[in-house]
Amino acid sequence: MRDSVGSVRSVLLLGGRSEIGTAIVERLVREGAREVVLAARGGVSSPPGALTGLGASVHSVDFDAGLPDTHTGTVAEAVALVGDLDVVVDAFGVLGEQSEYEADPAAAARSAGVNYTGHVSVGLAVAARLREQGHGTLVVLSSVAGVRVRRSNFVYGSAKAGLDGFAQGLADSLYGSGARVLVVRPGYVPTRMSAHVEPAPFPATPGQVADAVSAGLRSDATTVWAPGVLQPLFAGMRLMPRALWRRLSR
Amino acid sequence: MNRPEQRTLLSGWGLTSPTAAHVVRPRTPEQVAEALAGAGGRGALPRGLGRSYGDAAQDAGGLVLDCTGLTGPVHLDTARGEVTAPAGTSMDRLIAHLLRRGHFVPVTPGTRHVTLGGAIAADVHGKNHPAASSLGAHVRALTLVTADGRTRRLGPGPDGGDPELFWATVGGMGLTGVVTEATLAVFPVESSYMRVDTDRTGSLEETLELMAHADDRYSVAWLDLFARGGALGRGVVTRARHARLGDLPPPLRRRPLRYRSAGVPVPPLTPPVGTVNRWSVGAFNALHLNRAPRRRRGQAQPLTAYFHPLDALRGWNRMYGRPGAVQYQFVVPFGEEGTLAGVAESLSRARAPSFLAVLKRMGEPTPGPLSFPRPGWSLAVDLPADLPGLGAALHGFDERLVAAGGRLYLAKDGRARAETVHAMYPELPAWRRVRERADPDGVLVSDMARRLRLL
Ligand SMILES: Cc1cc2nc3c(=O)[nH]c(=O)nc-3n(C[C@H](O)[C@H](O)[C@H](O)COP(=O)(O)OP(=O)(O)OC[C@H]3O[C@@H](n4cnc5c(N)ncnc54)[C@H](O)[C@@H]3O)c2cc1C
Ligand SMILES: NC(=O)c1ccc[n+]([C@@H]2O[C@H](COP(=O)([O-])OP(=O)(O)OC[C@H]3O[C@@H](n4cnc5c(N)ncnc54)[C@H](OP(=O)(O)O)[C@@H]3O)[C@@H](O)[C@H]2O)c1
């Protein structure tokens, strides 16, 4: 639950080593969160010192986005560790290389399985728990890449587009349940994931994404952009004629 | 009392932390028992008029029993000096009933829009704490429906059936069961007016000095935390007693027990941003302070104006806008005036826009293990919930309070840490043992109980 000054007590991070996700959790711990569950493949053996150093108890559970049958169990494990989940940050994903995906369709489908269907199963499992407890927020790391899909990374972008649509529908399904979904649309964020791609204009650091999420959690926002300027920018890009978009986004 | 499919978002008076619950509105103790029997895995909780500020009266995902439906005849026994009323009866209705018959409640909080059940569950105090202690001291008996569906009649003394459970219920924040009826000691009054003495003070010392020696039945100080330096803690002290017929100017003597309780509603829309800020508050405080007379004696004031000035503006909590409001209320023992001054100074230094800083003196407590009042000074401060840095600042104050042997008032809290509250309420383990006896399956639970690990 968000307390009366906007702090939360417990956070579950799906994608327990994600740089952006970790920055968000660190920010929430600075603001008062006391219980953290990091969910990652094989668990997280050495949690970031920033979290433990700030006085939070950090737990870890095994989580693989590619194994949808295990997702309800993952959520239950987290609940067994910390009780009600105040915030769940859904931050796992793979970017990969578009040209490699085009050469290896099976690899492309596997990445889409992480970036789209993995979120579907774990997202629904989380939503069921939040609905039952009558409060809580699922923060979904979408991306501007899904706002208008580009030729240069359409395998990743289309999965993000699907995820974004899924998250919005899920948000509507939770209306009135006390729980909600916050969709986060960052632009370029320099992390491990994006190290191999050209920086795009209007980048944001993981810390800036965390600031935007923290502000979004304190308000009744349904969507946050990081940085905020991307919202009007992408409103324009969505209107751009297809031929022009194709050439710009190669 | 079937549990409805639909859920309702509930929050406290501060409007800060809404959570969803299934709400039922029982009208009889039998329906209360039936509803409790149907509580699911997320438990159940009674709720009154929702005047607690934080998360005390909500149970996310659970079953909330809206107890405002527990109404019916109010019975005044003038010979015994006691009134018996269903727990959903509002203080407003109770006062109206009693005044018409020349009587008054022993204790009233700063709003009369609370239920009798909610007032007992918080063991509320009034402006007469040194003289009268808190409401629990005047409860002669109460009826409690426990989680097993049993109806128990409890009293405070050794012949009260289960006095331990009685005192665990007084101040027990709804976590021992549902109070369905109570009998209170009341006393006769000659009028519905107060005879009020008003003094403007120039500093905190002066305010405390005046309050310390107030031997009137009622006293309260309104502080201007916006003032700085030596003027910090300047304020208006009002001391009062119930006006006798002879105290009233002749026009008022014709209908000395007249009671009017309507308020003007605040416009129904909640502004997206609060209208409470440093400027509006500074202006309000300066105005309020300058309007008060420097010294006035024996003014006849309708008791609603003295006891419940805020009720004149219905729904005023919405002025804080979407982010809502926090009330920080604490008590520190006598001798810890330095802590009081320190907190006041920090608020002033932060230019925290606080409309209401209400200082009360407190006397002897009731035996309720979770009851808030303790001998000393109580300060209550309303703050916009979205003030930057508020969370950390209040945790800092909490630590000073713990060090000073002070405590927070649960009915106002929505943000403290469990460890802090455990340190402030050393009788919590004793309370838990009684509660476990009354509710072994842990049916009764609230968002506050989860946050503060009360159970
Ligand atoms: C403007 C304002 C001024 C105030 N001034 C004062 C003051 O001067 N002194 C003071 O002490 N308090 C004061 N309060 C706080 C208020 O008196 C308490 O929070 C009181 O408990 C509110 O009663 P309610 O009926 O609204 O209960 P709610 O806020 O709905 O519930 C409060 C608690 O009571 C429990 N409860 C409710 N009904 C029952 C029942 N039938 N049986 C068992 N438990 C029940 C709930 O579970 C919850 O834990 C003030 C509040 C406001 C908004
Ligand atoms: N960086 C950007 O520019 C950017 C921009 C917009 C949106 N985003 C989105 O933000 C989120 C976080 O990205 P990031 O930058 O923080 O990247 P990151 O540090 O690489 O984190 C991604 C995490 O996803 C995990 N993951 C991958 N496949 C998984 C699987 N099958 N099961 C479980 N976990 C799996 C990885 O786990 P391992 O540690 O086990 O590999 C990794 O910790 C992603 O959803 C990303 O798409 C990023």
Short mmCIF file of all heavy atoms in Angstrom, two decimals, chain A residues 14-22 39-43 63-67 71 90-95 110 113-115 119 140-145 156 160 163 184-195 197 204 206 209, ligand 2:
data_model
loop_
_atom_site.label_atom_id
_atom_site.label_comp_id
_atom_site.label_asym_id
_atom_site.label_seq_id
_atom_site.Cartn_x
_atom_site.Cartn_y
_atom_site.Cartn_z
N LEU A 14 10.68 -7.93 -11.11
CA LEU A 14 10.75 -9.03 -12.07
C LEU A 14 11.80 -8.64 -13.10
O LEU A 14 11.65 -7.64 -13.81
CB LEU A 14 9.39 -9.22 -12.75
CG LEU A 14 8.25 -9.59 -11.80
CD1 LEU A 14 6.89 -9.38 -12.46
CD2 LEU A 14 8.39 -11.03 -11.33
N GLY A 15 12.86 -9.41 -13.17
CA GLY A 15 14.05 -8.99 -13.92
C GLY A 15 14.97 -8.39 -12.87
O GLY A 15 15.32 -7.22 -12.92
N GLY A 16 15.32 -9.21 -11.90
CA GLY A 16 15.96 -8.74 -10.66
C GLY A 16 17.34 -8.13 -10.84
O GLY A 16 17.88 -7.56 -9.90
N ARG A 17 17.92 -8.26 -12.03
CA ARG A 17 19.22 -7.62 -12.27
C ARG A 17 19.10 -6.47 -13.26
O ARG A 17 20.11 -5.86 -13.64
CB ARG A 17 20.22 -8.66 -12.81
CG ARG A 17 20.85 -9.53 -11.73
CD ARG A 17 21.83 -10.54 -12.32
NE ARG A 17 21.15 -11.55 -13.10
CZ ARG A 17 20.76 -12.74 -12.62
NH1 ARG A 17 21.00 -13.06 -11.37
NH2 ARG A 17 20.12 -13.60 -13.38
N SER A 18 17.92 -6.15 -13.71
CA SER A 18 17.75 -5.06 -14.68
C SER A 18 18.29 -3.75 -14.11
O SER A 18 18.05 -3.41 -12.95
CB SER A 18 16.26 -4.89 -15.02
OG SER A 18 15.96 -3.54 -15.23
N GLU A 19 19.03 -3.04 -14.93
CA GLU A 19 19.63 -1.79 -14.43
C GLU A 19 18.56 -0.74 -14.14
O GLU A 19 18.60 -0.05 -13.13
CB GLU A 19 20.63 -1.24 -15.45
CG GLU A 19 21.95 -1.97 -15.40
CD GLU A 19 23.00 -1.32 -16.31
OE1 GLU A 19 23.17 -0.09 -16.26
OE2 GLU A 19 23.62 -2.06 -17.09
N ILE A 20 17.61 -0.65 -15.06
CA ILE A 20 16.54 0.33 -14.84
C ILE A 20 15.70 -0.10 -13.64
O ILE A 20 15.38 0.69 -12.74
CB ILE A 20 15.65 0.46 -16.10
CG1 ILE A 20 16.46 1.02 -17.28
CG2 ILE A 20 14.45 1.37 -15.80
CD1 ILE A 20 15.68 1.12 -18.58
N GLY A 21 15.37 -1.39 -13.61
CA GLY A 21 14.56 -1.91 -12.51
C GLY A 21 15.24 -1.68 -11.16
O GLY A 21 14.59 -1.25 -10.20
N THR A 22 16.54 -1.94 -11.11
CA THR A 22 17.26 -1.76 -9.86
C THR A 22 17.25 -0.29 -9.44
O THR A 22 17.11 0.03 -8.25
CB THR A 22 18.72 -2.26 -10.00
OG1 THR A 22 18.68 -3.60 -10.50
CG2 THR A 22 19.45 -2.25 -8.68
N ALA A 39 13.47 -11.01 -8.47
CA ALA A 39 13.13 -12.24 -9.18
C ALA A 39 13.94 -12.31 -10.47
O ALA A 39 13.82 -11.44 -11.33
CB ALA A 39 11.63 -12.26 -9.50
N ALA A 40 14.80 -13.32 -10.58
CA ALA A 40 15.67 -13.45 -11.75
C ALA A 40 16.01 -14.91 -11.98
O ALA A 40 15.86 -15.73 -11.07
CB ALA A 40 16.94 -12.63 -11.54
N ARG A 41 16.48 -15.20 -13.17
CA ARG A 41 16.88 -16.58 -13.46
C ARG A 41 17.97 -17.01 -12.49
O ARG A 41 19.01 -16.33 -12.39
CB ARG A 41 17.39 -16.68 -14.90
CG ARG A 41 16.23 -16.68 -15.91
CD ARG A 41 16.73 -16.63 -17.32
NE ARG A 41 17.35 -15.32 -17.61
CZ ARG A 41 17.76 -14.96 -18.81
NH1 ARG A 41 17.66 -15.78 -19.84
NH2 ARG A 41 18.29 -13.76 -19.01
N GLY A 42 17.70 -18.05 -11.75
CA GLY A 42 18.67 -18.53 -10.77
C GLY A 42 18.74 -17.68 -9.51
O GLY A 42 19.61 -17.88 -8.68
N GLY A 43 17.83 -16.73 -9.37
CA GLY A 43 17.87 -15.85 -8.20
C GLY A 43 19.00 -14.84 -8.32
O GLY A 43 19.72 -14.81 -9.32
N PHE A 63 13.18 -16.88 -11.22
CA PHE A 63 12.12 -16.47 -12.15
C PHE A 63 12.65 -16.52 -13.58
O PHE A 63 13.66 -15.90 -13.90
CB PHE A 63 11.65 -15.05 -11.82
CG PHE A 63 10.83 -14.41 -12.90
CD1 PHE A 63 9.56 -14.92 -13.21
CD2 PHE A 63 11.30 -13.32 -13.63
CE1 PHE A 63 8.80 -14.34 -14.22
CE2 PHE A 63 10.54 -12.75 -14.64
CZ PHE A 63 9.29 -13.26 -14.92
N ASP A 64 11.96 -17.28 -14.42
CA ASP A 64 12.32 -17.30 -15.82
C ASP A 64 11.10 -16.91 -16.65
O ASP A 64 10.07 -17.59 -16.61
CB ASP A 64 12.81 -18.70 -16.23
CG ASP A 64 13.41 -18.70 -17.65
OD1 ASP A 64 12.99 -17.86 -18.48
OD2 ASP A 64 14.29 -19.55 -17.90
N ALA A 65 11.23 -15.82 -17.39
CA ALA A 65 10.11 -15.31 -18.18
C ALA A 65 9.64 -16.34 -19.20
O ALA A 65 8.47 -16.35 -19.61
CB ALA A 65 10.51 -14.02 -18.88
N GLY A 66 10.56 -17.21 -19.61
CA GLY A 66 10.22 -18.19 -20.64
C GLY A 66 9.44 -19.40 -20.11
O GLY A 66 9.09 -20.28 -20.90
N LEU A 67 9.19 -19.46 -18.81
CA LEU A 67 8.46 -20.60 -18.25
C LEU A 67 7.13 -20.15 -17.63
O LEU A 67 7.02 -20.03 -16.41
CB LEU A 67 9.33 -21.29 -17.17
CG LEU A 67 10.71 -21.79 -17.62
CD1 LEU A 67 11.52 -22.30 -16.43
CD2 LEU A 67 10.57 -22.87 -18.68
N HIS A 71 4.83 -18.97 -13.29
CA HIS A 71 4.71 -17.56 -12.89
C HIS A 71 3.79 -17.32 -11.70
O HIS A 71 4.09 -16.49 -10.83
CB HIS A 71 4.31 -16.70 -14.09
CG HIS A 71 5.43 -16.58 -15.08
ND1 HIS A 71 5.33 -15.93 -16.27
CD2 HIS A 71 6.71 -17.07 -15.04
CE1 HIS A 71 6.48 -16.00 -16.93
NE2 HIS A 71 7.32 -16.70 -16.20
N ASP A 90 7.94 -4.61 -13.41
CA ASP A 90 8.09 -5.62 -14.45
C ASP A 90 9.13 -5.08 -15.44
O ASP A 90 8.80 -4.26 -16.30
CB ASP A 90 6.71 -5.78 -15.09
CG ASP A 90 6.70 -6.82 -16.18
OD1 ASP A 90 7.76 -7.35 -16.50
OD2 ASP A 90 5.61 -7.08 -16.71
N ALA A 91 10.40 -5.50 -15.28
CA ALA A 91 11.50 -4.84 -15.99
C ALA A 91 12.39 -5.79 -16.79
O ALA A 91 13.46 -5.40 -17.21
CB ALA A 91 12.36 -4.04 -15.01
N PHE A 92 11.92 -7.04 -16.99
CA PHE A 92 12.80 -7.92 -17.75
C PHE A 92 12.59 -7.70 -19.24
O PHE A 92 11.56 -7.17 -19.67
CB PHE A 92 12.55 -9.39 -17.36
CG PHE A 92 11.15 -9.86 -17.62
CD1 PHE A 92 10.80 -10.39 -18.85
CD2 PHE A 92 10.17 -9.76 -16.63
CE1 PHE A 92 9.51 -10.82 -19.09
CE2 PHE A 92 8.88 -10.20 -16.88
CZ PHE A 92 8.54 -10.72 -18.10
N GLY A 93 13.58 -8.10 -20.00
CA GLY A 93 13.45 -7.95 -21.44
C GLY A 93 14.78 -8.24 -22.12
O GLY A 93 15.82 -8.31 -21.47
N VAL A 94 14.70 -8.50 -23.42
CA VAL A 94 15.91 -8.65 -24.22
C VAL A 94 15.78 -7.77 -25.46
O VAL A 94 14.69 -7.63 -26.02
CB VAL A 94 16.13 -10.13 -24.65
CG1 VAL A 94 16.62 -10.96 -23.48
CG2 VAL A 94 14.88 -10.73 -25.26
N LEU A 95 16.88 -7.15 -25.83
CA LEU A 95 16.83 -6.29 -27.00
C LEU A 95 17.31 -7.07 -28.24
O LEU A 95 16.57 -7.22 -29.21
CB LEU A 95 17.72 -5.06 -26.77
CG LEU A 95 17.79 -4.03 -27.89
CD1 LEU A 95 16.40 -3.55 -28.31
CD2 LEU A 95 18.63 -2.84 -27.45
N ARG A 110 11.76 -16.51 -29.85
CA ARG A 110 12.11 -16.68 -28.43
C ARG A 110 12.19 -15.32 -27.74
O ARG A 110 11.72 -15.15 -26.62
CB ARG A 110 13.42 -17.44 -28.29
CG ARG A 110 13.27 -18.96 -28.37
CD ARG A 110 14.51 -19.68 -27.87
NE ARG A 110 15.71 -19.34 -28.65
CZ ARG A 110 16.05 -19.96 -29.80
NH1 ARG A 110 15.30 -20.93 -30.30
NH2 ARG A 110 17.14 -19.59 -30.46
N GLY A 113 8.93 -14.09 -27.10
CA GLY A 113 8.35 -14.84 -25.99
C GLY A 113 8.71 -14.21 -24.65
O GLY A 113 7.89 -14.18 -23.73
N VAL A 114 9.93 -13.69 -24.55
CA VAL A 114 10.32 -13.00 -23.31
C VAL A 114 9.62 -11.63 -23.26
O VAL A 114 8.98 -11.25 -22.28
CB VAL A 114 11.86 -12.83 -23.23
CG1 VAL A 114 12.23 -11.95 -22.04
CG2 VAL A 114 12.52 -14.19 -23.14
N ASN A 115 9.75 -10.88 -24.37
CA ASN A 115 9.31 -9.49 -24.36
C ASN A 115 7.80 -9.30 -24.41
O ASN A 115 7.30 -8.24 -24.04
CB ASN A 115 9.94 -8.74 -25.53
CG ASN A 115 11.43 -8.50 -25.31
OD1 ASN A 115 11.89 -8.51 -24.16
ND2 ASN A 115 12.17 -8.29 -26.39
N HIS A 119 5.51 -11.42 -20.27
CA HIS A 119 4.82 -10.38 -19.48
C HIS A 119 3.34 -10.69 -19.34
O HIS A 119 2.72 -10.31 -18.35
CB HIS A 119 5.00 -9.02 -20.15
CG HIS A 119 6.41 -8.53 -20.14
ND1 HIS A 119 6.98 -7.91 -19.07
CD2 HIS A 119 7.39 -8.62 -21.09
CE1 HIS A 119 8.24 -7.60 -19.35
NE2 HIS A 119 8.51 -8.03 -20.58
N VAL A 140 4.98 -1.36 -15.49
CA VAL A 140 5.39 -2.13 -16.66
C VAL A 140 6.36 -1.29 -17.50
O VAL A 140 6.02 -0.20 -17.95
CB VAL A 140 4.16 -2.52 -17.51
CG1 VAL A 140 4.62 -3.20 -18.80
CG2 VAL A 140 3.25 -3.44 -16.72
N LEU A 141 7.58 -1.84 -17.70
CA LEU A 141 8.55 -1.16 -18.54
C LEU A 141 8.22 -1.45 -20.00
O LEU A 141 8.58 -2.48 -20.54
CB LEU A 141 9.96 -1.62 -18.21
CG LEU A 141 10.75 -0.81 -17.20
CD1 LEU A 141 11.01 0.61 -17.70
CD2 LEU A 141 10.07 -0.75 -15.85
N SER A 142 7.50 -0.51 -20.60
CA SER A 142 7.25 -0.57 -22.04
C SER A 142 8.40 0.20 -22.69
O SER A 142 9.50 0.26 -22.11
CB SER A 142 5.88 0.08 -22.31
OG SER A 142 5.67 0.16 -23.69
N SER A 143 8.19 0.79 -23.83
CA SER A 143 9.27 1.54 -24.47
C SER A 143 8.67 2.39 -25.59
O SER A 143 7.62 2.03 -26.16
CB SER A 143 10.29 0.57 -25.08
OG SER A 143 11.16 1.26 -25.95
N VAL A 144 9.34 3.48 -25.92
CA VAL A 144 8.87 4.25 -27.07
C VAL A 144 9.00 3.41 -28.35
O VAL A 144 8.33 3.67 -29.34
CB VAL A 144 9.64 5.58 -27.25
CG1 VAL A 144 9.36 6.53 -26.10
CG2 VAL A 144 11.13 5.34 -27.42
N ALA A 145 9.85 2.36 -28.29
CA ALA A 145 10.02 1.50 -29.47
C ALA A 145 8.70 0.84 -29.88
O ALA A 145 8.53 0.45 -31.03
CB ALA A 145 11.07 0.42 -29.19
N TYR A 156 11.78 -6.47 -31.65
CA TYR A 156 11.67 -5.93 -30.29
C TYR A 156 10.50 -4.96 -30.19
O TYR A 156 9.67 -5.05 -29.27
CB TYR A 156 12.99 -5.23 -29.94
CG TYR A 156 13.01 -4.48 -28.62
CD1 TYR A 156 13.19 -5.16 -27.43
CD2 TYR A 156 12.89 -3.09 -28.58
CE1 TYR A 156 13.24 -4.48 -26.21
CE2 TYR A 156 12.93 -2.40 -27.38
CZ TYR A 156 13.11 -3.08 -26.19
OH TYR A 156 13.15 -2.41 -25.01
N LYS A 160 7.11 -4.91 -27.79
CA LYS A 160 6.82 -3.82 -26.85
C LYS A 160 5.45 -3.22 -27.14
O LYS A 160 4.73 -2.84 -26.23
CB LYS A 160 7.90 -2.73 -26.95
CG LYS A 160 9.19 -3.10 -26.25
CD LYS A 160 9.02 -3.19 -24.73
CE LYS A 160 10.34 -3.34 -23.99
NZ LYS A 160 10.15 -3.83 -22.60
N LEU A 163 3.09 -5.55 -25.65
CA LEU A 163 3.15 -5.42 -24.19
C LEU A 163 2.42 -4.16 -23.73
O LEU A 163 1.67 -4.17 -22.76
CB LEU A 163 4.62 -5.37 -23.74
CG LEU A 163 4.88 -4.97 -22.29
CD1 LEU A 163 4.18 -5.92 -21.32
CD2 LEU A 163 6.38 -4.92 -22.00
N VAL A 184 5.33 2.57 -18.27
CA VAL A 184 6.49 3.46 -18.37
C VAL A 184 7.07 3.36 -19.77
O VAL A 184 7.35 2.27 -20.26
CB VAL A 184 7.58 3.04 -17.35
CG1 VAL A 184 8.71 4.05 -17.35
CG2 VAL A 184 6.98 2.90 -15.97
N ARG A 185 7.21 4.50 -20.42
CA ARG A 185 7.75 4.51 -21.79
C ARG A 185 9.04 5.32 -21.84
O ARG A 185 9.03 6.51 -22.12
CB ARG A 185 6.72 5.12 -22.75
CG ARG A 185 5.43 4.30 -22.81
CD ARG A 185 4.54 4.76 -23.94
NE ARG A 185 3.28 4.05 -23.86
CZ ARG A 185 2.08 4.63 -23.83
NH1 ARG A 185 1.96 5.95 -23.90
NH2 ARG A 185 0.99 3.90 -23.76
N PRO A 186 10.18 4.64 -21.58
CA PRO A 186 11.45 5.36 -21.70
C PRO A 186 11.86 5.43 -23.17
O PRO A 186 11.42 4.62 -23.99
CB PRO A 186 12.44 4.49 -20.92
CG PRO A 186 11.65 3.34 -20.36
CD PRO A 186 10.38 3.27 -21.13
N GLY A 187 12.75 6.38 -23.46
CA GLY A 187 13.39 6.41 -24.77
C GLY A 187 14.68 5.63 -24.65
O GLY A 187 14.69 4.52 -24.12
N TYR A 188 15.77 6.23 -25.06
CA TYR A 188 17.06 5.55 -24.96
C TYR A 188 17.61 5.69 -23.54
O TYR A 188 17.71 6.79 -23.01
CB TYR A 188 18.05 6.15 -25.97
CG TYR A 188 19.42 5.53 -25.86
CD1 TYR A 188 19.69 4.32 -26.50
CD2 TYR A 188 20.42 6.15 -25.11
CE1 TYR A 188 20.95 3.73 -26.38
CE2 TYR A 188 21.68 5.57 -25.00
CZ TYR A 188 21.93 4.36 -25.63
OH TYR A 188 23.17 3.78 -25.51
N VAL A 189 17.95 4.56 -22.95
CA VAL A 189 18.55 4.57 -21.61
C VAL A 189 19.87 3.79 -21.69
O VAL A 189 19.86 2.61 -22.05
CB VAL A 189 17.62 3.89 -20.57
CG1 VAL A 189 18.20 4.01 -19.17
CG2 VAL A 189 16.22 4.46 -20.63
N PRO A 190 20.99 4.45 -21.42
CA PRO A 190 22.26 3.74 -21.51
C PRO A 190 22.37 2.69 -20.40
O PRO A 190 22.55 3.03 -19.24
CB PRO A 190 23.32 4.85 -21.34
CG PRO A 190 22.61 5.98 -20.67
CD PRO A 190 21.17 5.86 -21.04
N THR A 191 22.22 1.43 -20.76
CA THR A 191 22.38 0.31 -19.83
C THR A 191 23.06 -0.82 -20.58
O THR A 191 23.33 -0.71 -21.78
CB THR A 191 21.04 -0.24 -19.30
OG1 THR A 191 20.33 -0.81 -20.40
CG2 THR A 191 20.18 0.84 -18.65
N ARG A 192 23.27 -1.93 -19.87
CA ARG A 192 23.80 -3.13 -20.47
C ARG A 192 23.05 -3.49 -21.74
O ARG A 192 23.61 -3.84 -22.76
CB ARG A 192 23.57 -4.26 -19.47
CG ARG A 192 24.71 -5.16 -19.27
CD ARG A 192 24.55 -5.98 -18.00
NE ARG A 192 23.32 -5.88 -17.26
CZ ARG A 192 22.59 -6.93 -16.87
NH1 ARG A 192 22.94 -8.14 -17.19
NH2 ARG A 192 21.49 -6.75 -16.15
N MET A 193 21.73 -3.38 -21.67
CA MET A 193 20.88 -3.80 -22.78
C MET A 193 21.13 -2.99 -24.04
O MET A 193 21.15 -3.53 -25.15
CB MET A 193 19.41 -3.67 -22.37
CG MET A 193 18.44 -3.93 -23.50
SD MET A 193 16.74 -3.67 -23.01
CE MET A 193 16.37 -5.23 -22.24
N SER A 194 21.35 -1.68 -23.87
CA SER A 194 21.42 -0.81 -25.04
C SER A 194 22.85 -0.45 -25.41
O SER A 194 23.08 0.38 -26.28
CB SER A 194 20.63 0.47 -24.75
OG SER A 194 21.13 1.06 -23.57
N ALA A 195 23.82 -1.10 -24.73
CA ALA A 195 25.22 -0.71 -24.93
C ALA A 195 25.65 -0.84 -26.39
O ALA A 195 26.50 -0.08 -26.85
CB ALA A 195 26.12 -1.57 -24.03
N VAL A 197 23.80 -0.35 -29.09
CA VAL A 197 23.08 0.45 -30.10
C VAL A 197 23.45 1.93 -30.00
O VAL A 197 23.91 2.41 -28.97
CB VAL A 197 21.54 0.28 -29.98
CG1 VAL A 197 21.14 -1.16 -30.22
CG2 VAL A 197 21.02 0.79 -28.65
N ALA A 204 17.66 9.16 -21.34
CA ALA A 204 17.40 9.32 -19.90
C ALA A 204 18.28 8.31 -19.17
O ALA A 204 18.51 7.22 -19.67
CB ALA A 204 15.94 9.05 -19.59
N PRO A 206 19.00 5.66 -15.96
CA PRO A 206 18.10 4.84 -15.14
C PRO A 206 17.55 5.64 -13.95
O PRO A 206 16.38 5.49 -13.59
CB PRO A 206 19.00 3.70 -14.67
CG PRO A 206 20.02 3.55 -15.77
CD PRO A 206 20.27 4.96 -16.24
N VAL A 209 14.66 7.65 -15.08
CA VAL A 209 13.46 6.82 -15.24
C VAL A 209 12.85 6.57 -13.85
O VAL A 209 11.64 6.66 -13.65
CB VAL A 209 13.79 5.48 -15.93
CG1 VAL A 209 12.53 4.63 -16.06
CG2 VAL A 209 14.40 5.72 -17.31
N1 LIG C 2 17.78 0.40 -21.91
C1 LIG C 2 16.95 1.03 -22.73
O1 LIG C 2 17.34 1.82 -23.57
C2 LIG C 2 15.48 0.76 -22.59
C3 LIG C 2 14.61 1.65 -23.22
C4 LIG C 2 13.23 1.45 -23.12
C5 LIG C 2 12.75 0.35 -22.42
N2 LIG C 2 13.61 -0.50 -21.83
C6 LIG C 2 13.05 -1.65 -21.12
O2 LIG C 2 13.34 -1.54 -19.74
C7 LIG C 2 13.44 -2.83 -19.17
C8 LIG C 2 14.75 -2.93 -18.40
O3 LIG C 2 15.84 -2.76 -19.27
P1 LIG C 2 17.34 -2.48 -18.80
O4 LIG C 2 17.84 -1.40 -19.62
O5 LIG C 2 17.37 -2.36 -17.35
O6 LIG C 2 18.04 -3.81 -19.27
P2 LIG C 2 18.89 -4.91 -18.51
O7 LIG C 2 19.73 -4.30 -17.46
O8 LIG C 2 19.52 -5.72 -19.56
O9 LIG C 2 17.79 -5.77 -17.79
C9 LIG C 2 16.98 -6.69 -18.45
C10 LIG C 2 16.80 -7.86 -17.52
O10 LIG C 2 15.89 -8.80 -18.11
C11 LIG C 2 16.27 -10.06 -17.68
N3 LIG C 2 15.82 -11.15 -18.53
C12 LIG C 2 16.07 -11.35 -19.84
N4 LIG C 2 15.51 -12.49 -20.24
C13 LIG C 2 14.89 -13.05 -19.17
C14 LIG C 2 14.15 -14.25 -18.93
N5 LIG C 2 13.91 -15.12 -19.90
N6 LIG C 2 13.70 -14.47 -17.70
C15 LIG C 2 13.92 -13.61 -16.69
N7 LIG C 2 14.62 -12.47 -16.84
C16 LIG C 2 15.11 -12.19 -18.08
C17 LIG C 2 17.78 -10.03 -17.69
O11 LIG C 2 18.20 -10.99 -16.77
P3 LIG C 2 19.71 -11.52 -16.69
O12 LIG C 2 20.36 -10.64 -15.72
O13 LIG C 2 19.53 -12.92 -16.16
O14 LIG C 2 20.25 -11.47 -18.05
C18 LIG C 2 18.08 -8.61 -17.25
O15 LIG C 2 18.38 -8.54 -15.87
C19 LIG C 2 13.32 -3.81 -20.32
O16 LIG C 2 11.98 -4.25 -20.40
C20 LIG C 2 13.63 -2.96 -21.51
O17 LIG C 2 13.01 -3.48 -22.66
C21 LIG C 2 14.98 -0.31 -21.88
#
